[in-house]
Every structure is written in C-alpha cells, then in structure tokens.
Amino acid sequence: MKLFNIKLFLIILTVLPFVYTACNQNTSPVNTEELEFKMNIIAESYVKLVLKVGQFDPNYVDAYYGPEDWKPKSNLTEDTSALQSLFNESDAILDSMDALSKYDSDELLTLRFRFLYKQILAVKAKIFILQGGVLSFDEEAKSLYDAVPPVYNDQHFQSIINELDKILPGKGKVSDRLDAFRNKFIIPKDKIDTVFTTAINECRKKTLEHIKLPAEENFKVEYVTGKSWGAYNWYKGNSFSIIQVNTDLPIYIDRAVDLAAHEGYPGHHVYNALLEKYLFKQKGWVEYSVYPLFSPQSLIAEGTANYGIHVVLPGESRIDFERNVLFPLAGLDTSLVDEYYRVLELTAKMNYSSNEAARNYLDSKWTREETISWLIKFGLRSKERAEQNIKFIETYRSYVINYNLGEDIIKKYIESNGGNENHPDVRWKLFERLLSSPQTPSGLLK
C-alpha cells in the first residue's frame, strides 16, 4: 500500500498559509462568479469524499444535512483498495484548489479558500491514518487540526497542585481533599434536568440579546449513559440540535452552565445554526452541509464553545446566577460559592493535563495504567474520571487539544482585537463573526 511522505506533508502544512495568500494577491482582474463556480464544484467533491471516508470510521462524519443522493451508494469498506483510491481523490481535489490561486478575490472568498484547503488536507491526513500510517501526537494534531499544542511538564501541574493545597480544607492528599470538597457541589440526580434546563434557558436568553438566530431554531435534551464524553451536540440541520448529557458520573453544579453554553448557547448549537443559515443556505456553500469531526473545523467549534461560556455569562454575572438561581434549585449550600470558585479557577489551569496524558499514551511512552495514574496524580482526576478520560483519548485521540488550545486561540484572537470583558459589545460582534464565517486555526494566529 502506497503511503505519502508525512514529513513533506507537514512542511506543506507549515508553508501553506504563505502559498494560498496568492489567492488574494494576484493582479489579474477579479472574476468572482467564475471563482465561486469552480470552488462550488470542488466543495461538492470534498463533501462526497468526506462521506466516503466516513464509512471507515463511524465517528468521522459528525453531521450531514446535504443532498441524500450524495451519500455513498455502496459499502467501500468491502474494497481493500478503496482507501488508496480515496487518497488519490484527495490529491486531485487539492490540485484543483491549487489551480484557483491565480484568482484575485475578496476577503470572504479568501477565507473560504483557506477553510476548504485546510479541511481537504485534514481529510488526506485522516486517510493516511486509516491506511495504517503512524503520526506522533503533535504531528497528528497539526495535520488534523491545523495547530500545534504546547508542552507542559510535571512541574507546571505540581505548582497548581501546591496552590490548591493552600486553599482546600482538611488534611491529606490534595486529590482526596479536592474530591471531598467538590462532592459538596454535586447536583442530585432528580434535579439535574431542572438545573440544566434553567441554565440553558438563561444562556439562550443572553445569547439572543446579541445574536439573531433563525426563527425555527430549537433543541432537545436527552440524558444518556455509557459514553466516554460528558455531553454531545448532535446537529441535525434546519437549526435543530439534540443535546445529550452523560450521567454516568456525578455532575457538579458548575457543569450546568458549562454544558448549557458549550453545547447550546452560544456554543455548538448556535455555531452550526449560523453556518447553516449564512453559508450553506444563503450562499449555497455546500462544504458546510457536512462536518468531519477530525478536522480544523473542530478546533474552531470547540474553542468557540468553550470561550462562549465566558462570553455569555462573564465573571461575576455567572457566579451571581449560580449563587442565586442554580444552587438553590439543586439544594446546595450557597455560603461556599466564593470558596468553590477560587478552587475552580485553579483547577481550570490544569486543562492541558489531558493533552499531556494523550501525548505520552498515544506516543507509547506510557502504558494505559501509567496514564491513568498520571491523570490521578497530576490531573487530580478521580480514578473513575481518569478512566473515562482515557477512554475518550482512545476513541478521539489528539482531539483533546481542541478544548484547551482551541479556547486559548479564540480568546487570544478576540481579546487582541479589543473584545475583552470591558468591551462586551465588541466581544460579541467578534464572536459572532467567528461563528458565521469560514475560519481556520492558523488563520486566527496570524
């Protein structure tokens, strides 16, 4: 089986931003209609390619609401040469994209070009992996998500643990004391739906004050078990989502707003609804009818969903809402709210522990047991949560970078352009732009 040169591929990923800026620097006359026509043809080929690749990984196609007859009519997995054919197909589509560099274009079409190019490159990398190609954790992250995750050593996490040691009540191991403290803030199972529904309604109300959503937008909440993730948004098209919340493990009170904002408003549900409305339906850009999970789009999706938590209920407004509304609904002691959020502020700094666990586990430096032990020691996970974490890593691999690195990239972009907490209107405007236009992680880092 022929495999492409991954080192050369990674070099292409690095220099690509300089290559495709030619799409916006050519001095030839602008011919927008011709450019859009040719890009539409490529976009259709891209969508059909993604759907074919999805036959080899059930997690790959996260959403599709395009033409029914574009779906594969035969099962490619029965053809041993199919992956090589798909790999060659990805090359042909990329060649077609390269031919468009002769065109001048406006900013939006340039963004579309970059988005499509990066998405197709990620499809090519995914096929390589499905063929048995081996990438390191960092190479995989770069190839699939257009970003390079930072590295943090044990001392970084130990310094955070030392700070927690100073503020957590009781004596003994920090991990045990953290568990004991957080267990005071578990939402009783019979109140989960009431608390979560209240949180998502508040986030929706706040979002609608700043973003106009399609009149028909709606969602349904389901409670599930047996999953490696805490919650999931299944976008079905026509501005409708199914939001699933996993109740395998206890749900802490702060997770109500986290999940409501991340999965719903202004997170995944809003992101998908706006892309569908403005790019798929209004512009006819069919590439937005499909969402390949293992692609740069996921870093934008997860990054905006996580940063959206701070946009919709910033700072003290969130604490006040939880103290005055959610804590009483859950029957929790409101006198510990301030102390709880001091602890949460520190534990949030440990978000990159999942990356380090995934990097060392997937690069075969640690065994499964060693990874779980490390997550317990330096990630302060309970054994149950560490085991759930590693199941997620085994299923989704380097996808873990999209939550922490994704949020940091979105935060840096918005705040460096004036959208800080002191300028909420600017922040909402920039945030909405990211949700409703073609974006790439490397493009936001320029």
Side-chain angles (χ1 to χ4, degrees):
M1 183 176 291
K2 177 185 172 186
L3 297 178
F4 73 102
N5 187 322
I6 187 58
K7 298 300 181 185
L8 177 59
F9 179 63
L10 292 170
I11 291 172
I12 291 172
L13 282 175
T14 302
V15 302
L16 181 61
F18 302 100
V19 174
Y20 60 44
T21 51
C23 181
N24 208 28
Q25 293 176 349
N26 199 290
T27 57
S28 60
V30 177
N31 190 334
T32 301
E33 288 186 4
E34 184 179 358
L35 176 58
E36 283 224 63
F37 175 76
K38 292 187 175 183
M39 211 175 292
N40 287 343
I41 294 174
I42 292 172
E44 179 177 334
S45 298
Y46 157 76
V47 172
K48 292 176 178 178
L49 177 62
V50 169
L51 294 175
K52 293 173 191 174
V53 175
Q55 292 186 298
F56 295 87
D57 182 344
N59 295 310
Y60 187 58
V61 179
D62 193 69
Y64 177 64
Y65 43 86
E68 189 67 23
D69 61 1
W70 284 10
K71 293 181 179 179
K73 303 207 172 29
S74 59
N75 187 355
L76 294 179
T77 57
E78 297 175 358
D79 181 0
T80 55
S81 64
L83 282 172
Q84 185 58 46
S85 296
L86 295 180
F87 186 84
N88 295 339
E89 191 174 331
S90 71
D91 269 340
I93 298 173
L94 285 170
D95 288 343
S96 298
M97 287 295 290
D98 286 333
L100 298 186
S101 63
K102 67 181 181 180
Y103 287 89
D104 222 351
S105 65
D106 59 25
E107 180 185 5
L108 189 59
L109 280 182
T110 299
L111 289 175
R112 184 191 185 190
F113 179 90
R114 293 173 179 175
F115 174 84
L116 258 177
Y117 212 131
K118 290 287 186 173
Q119 291 291 113
I120 298 164
L121 280 170
V123 178
K124 183 174 180 177
K126 177 62 177 177
I127 298 169
F128 170 75
I129 294 168
L130 289 169
Q131 285 179 298
V134 178
L135 302 177
S136 70
F137 176 84
D138 288 343
E139 289 172 340
E140 182 180 303
K142 176 65 175 175
S143 300
L144 295 179
Y145 307 115
D146 190 32
V148 180
V151 177
Y152 291 98
N153 58 27
D154 291 358
Q155 287 69 34
H156 167 80
F157 300 104
Q158 186 59 56
S159 66
I160 301 168
I161 293 170
N162 293 342
E163 290 299 311
L164 282 167
D165 187 25
K166 297 174 185 176
I167 66 173
L168 282 170
K171 296 181 180 180
K173 291 173 61 176
V174 174
S175 57
D176 292 340
R177 288 156 56 201
L178 179 61
D179 277 346
F181 180 72
R182 293 205 70 181
N183 285 344
K184 298 176 182 178
F185 304 95
I186 293 173
I187 304 171
K189 281 205 168 186
D190 63 341
K191 297 180 179 178
I192 288 174
D193 184 56
T194 298
V195 172
F196 182 71
T197 299
T198 302
I200 201 167
N201 287 340
E202 179 70 10
C203 290
R204 184 176 186 274
K205 183 184 76 172
K206 295 290 186 183
T207 298
L208 288 172
E209 291 174 3
H210 300 275
I211 296 177
K212 184 178 181 180
L213 296 176
E216 70 276 14
E217 69 85 16
N218 205 352
F219 65 93
K220 176 184 177 183
V221 177
E222 297 177 348
Y223 299 95
V224 299
T225 57
K227 306 297 182 182
S228 62
W229 35 257
Y232 211 109
N233 178 296
W234 302 99
Y235 190 70
K236 300 300 182 180
N238 292 318
S239 304
F240 179 74
S241 292
I242 293 177
I243 297 173
Q244 293 185 332
V245 178
N246 184 8
T247 59
D248 280 338
L249 297 175
I251 299 176
Y252 302 117
I253 188 66
D254 59 289
R255 292 292 287 159
V257 166
D258 283 354
L259 299 180
H262 182 102
E263 306 297 343
Y265 304 85
H268 291 323
H269 175 67
V270 174
Y271 175 67
N272 286 308
L274 293 183
L275 290 180
E276 181 184 20
K277 175 183 177 181
Y278 291 116
L279 301 186
F280 176 60
K281 289 186 175 179
Q282 290 188 7
K283 289 191 168 294
W285 292 359
V286 296
E287 62 266 35
Y288 287 97
S289 67
V290 72
Y291 176 11
L293 191 66
F294 307 107
S295 71
Q297 187 175 357
S298 280
L299 188 138
I300 303 297
E302 301 294 359
T304 51
N306 265 2
Y307 187 68
I309 298 168
H310 309 289
V311 175
V312 72
L313 283 170
E316 290 297 321
S317 66
R318 171 178 177 169
I319 297 175
D320 289 344
F321 173 67
E322 296 191 348
R323 185 202 317 267
N324 298 326
V325 180
L326 298 189
F327 270 65
L329 280 177
L332 301 179
D333 184 358
T334 59
S335 68
L336 296 173
V337 169
D338 292 334
E339 188 177 359
Y340 185 52
Y341 277 92
R342 283 197 297 272
V343 171
L344 288 182
E345 186 177 358
L346 281 173
T347 56
K349 295 179 180 179
M350 307 188 77
N351 286 342
Y352 278 89
S353 60
S354 291
N355 291 18
E356 297 309 318
R359 177 183 282 113
N360 285 282
Y361 181 50
L362 296 176
D363 288 349
S364 300
K365 294 179 180 178
W366 296 346
T367 65
R368 194 176 196 274
E369 292 70 28
E370 288 171 335
T371 307
I372 290 173
S373 296
W374 188 91
L375 282 167
I376 293 171
K377 181 178 180 180
F378 289 105
L380 296 183
R381 311 291 202 281
S382 65
K383 189 172 188 300
E384 294 76 17
R385 292 186 188 278
E387 289 174 343
Q388 186 185 58
N389 201 167
I390 203 165
K391 287 177 183 176
F392 184 93
I393 291 168
E394 288 170 339
T395 302
Y396 298 101
R397 298 180 59 83
S398 60
Y399 192 92
V400 294
I401 76 161
N402 295 320
Y403 301 101
N404 40 57
L405 181 58
E407 180 180 353
D408 285 349
I409 288 174
I410 298 300
K411 174 184 171 69
K412 181 179 179 182
Y413 173 81
I414 289 180
E415 296 186 3
S416 66
N417 283 283
N420 53 43
E421 195 169 332
N422 294 325
H423 299 90
D425 289 341
V426 176
R427 179 157 67 173
W428 272 107
K429 184 176 180 180
L430 289 166
F431 187 77
E432 182 179 8
R433 179 177 183 269
L434 294 184
L435 296 181
S436 56
S437 60
Q439 300 295 336
T440 57
S442 58
L444 295 182
L445 288 172
K446 286 185 175 181

